[in-house]
Amino acid sequence: DTAVSQTPKYLVTQMGNDKSIKCEQNLGHDTMYWYKQDSKKFLKIMFSYNNKELIINETVPNRFSPKSPDKAHLNLHINSLELGDSAVYFCASSPRTGVGYTFGSGTRLTVV
Amino acid sequence: QQQVKQSPQSLIVQKGGISIINCAYENTAFDYFPWYQQFPGKGPALLIAIRPDVSEKKEGRFTISFNKSAKQFSLHIMDSQPGDSATYFCAAQGQKKSSGDKLTFGTGTRLAVRP
């Protein structure tokens, strides 16, 4: 009965590969997010979707493409992976503004 | 630029002591200020939050103090316990139309509570 679940938890891949991370929430929230946490633990927003509509697209290389098939799912596809993409990626959801997010447990991506 | 500044970067406190983490923000459009707690290998979890119309909010051993005129807020952990050892993040959120509903995080404080 995990609220926000991400798969996989760990991902090790070579430079140049394409990979996807999946996220699902069973909270009935309207808005979902992707955040990147770097090696210094800094959390930075990448994208947000509200009811399948892209709301926020921060300055993220266009090798990153989010896809939301329905409001309970937000996937992240990354093309041509680079060493600098190594980080922990968190999915989160929120019912509305002014209420805290619920985060998933993260996907640790290592590009070698 | 860093819109939410957090200090200290790391903090060591003895069991039973008070842990204090400070944050300052620049954007006056922010109107929701949560604190998150993150354990190793886990996602951040909402700990406590405050809105600028109150100066203090307390939940158990955790208290947020908010100073709107100074644009500062802080987290106080009373009677700190070894189980409180984690990384703490302050954050700020503005109205949906001004910021798209995103949470802007501080840089985090690694707290270690010694037995």
Side-chain angles (χ1 to χ4, degrees):
Chain A
D1 59 341
T2 305
V4 180
S5 59
Q6 295 179 229
T7 54
K9 188 168 176 64
Y10 300 97
L11 188 51
V12 181
T13 187
Q14 291 187 323
M15 273 180 16
N17 283 351
D18 303 339
K19 290 293 179 185
S20 291
I21 306 171
K22 295 186 175 182
C23 179
E24 176 181 5
Q25 55 99 0
N26 62 5
L27 298 167
H29 291 171
D30 285 340
T31 309
M32 296 184 71
Y33 311 82
W34 279 110
Y35 274 77
K36 179 180 180 181
Q37 187 170 48
D38 62 23
S39 58
K40 295 185 178 179
K41 291 204 169 285
F42 183 59
L43 280 158
K44 189 172 182 350
I45 192 167
M46 300 173 70
F47 303 102
S48 81
Y49 269 74
N50 183 278
N51 272 323
K52 303 194 296 177
E53 179 187 353
L54 179 65
I55 302 298
I56 296 173
N57 183 348
E58 291 287 294
T59 312
V60 176
N62 57 17
R63 298 182 295 103
F64 291 78
S65 54
K67 282 190 171 51
S68 181
D70 55 61
K71 79 170 195 177
H73 295 84
L74 180 62
N75 304 321
L76 183 65
H77 188 75
I78 316 169
N79 288 327
S80 304
L81 278 154
E82 300 177 357
L83 292 175
D85 297 332
S86 296
V88 181
Y89 293 84
F90 287 101
C91 177
S93 71
S94 171
R96 59 188 179 280
T97 305
V99 178
Y101 294 0
T102 301
F103 281 84
S105 57
T107 296
R108 181 175 293 277
L109 171 65
T110 305
V111 183
V112 298
Chain B
Q1 69 278 21
Q2 185 63 32
Q3 289 200 53
V4 180
K5 296 182 180 177
Q6 183 172 347
S7 63
Q9 190 173 358
S10 62
L11 182 60
I12 299 174
V13 172
Q14 289 297 123
K15 179 182 175 182
I18 302 174
S19 305
I20 302 174
I21 304 170
N22 300 300
C23 283
Y25 63 97
E26 299 169 1
N27 188 343
T28 54
F30 289 146
D31 65 355
Y32 174 70
F33 302 88
W35 285 87
Y36 283 81
Q37 180 189 55
Q38 184 179 26
F39 292 105
K42 303 291 185 184
L46 180 64
L47 191 61
I48 186 173
I50 198 168
R51 297 186 188 283
D53 53 346
V54 297
S55 59
E56 185 174 284
K57 184 173 182 180
K58 183 176 181 179
E59 288 183 3
R61 296 184 294 107
F62 300 91
T63 299
I64 302 178
S65 297
F66 188 85
N67 186 329
K68 187 174 180 178
S69 60
K71 292 188 285 186
Q72 294 175 347
F73 58 111
S74 59
L75 176 69
H76 292 62
I77 306 174
M78 313 300 288
D79 187 26
S80 298
Q81 300 297 312
D84 296 332
S85 298
T87 300
Y88 292 81
F89 293 93
C90 62
Q93 185 184 55
Q95 290 293 325
K96 194 166 189 175
K97 53 186 173 183
S98 69
S99 66
D101 199 22
K102 69 179 181 182
L103 273 177
T104 299
F105 283 87
T107 48
T109 296
R110 185 169 292 186
L111 171 66
V113 181
R114 299 291 187 230

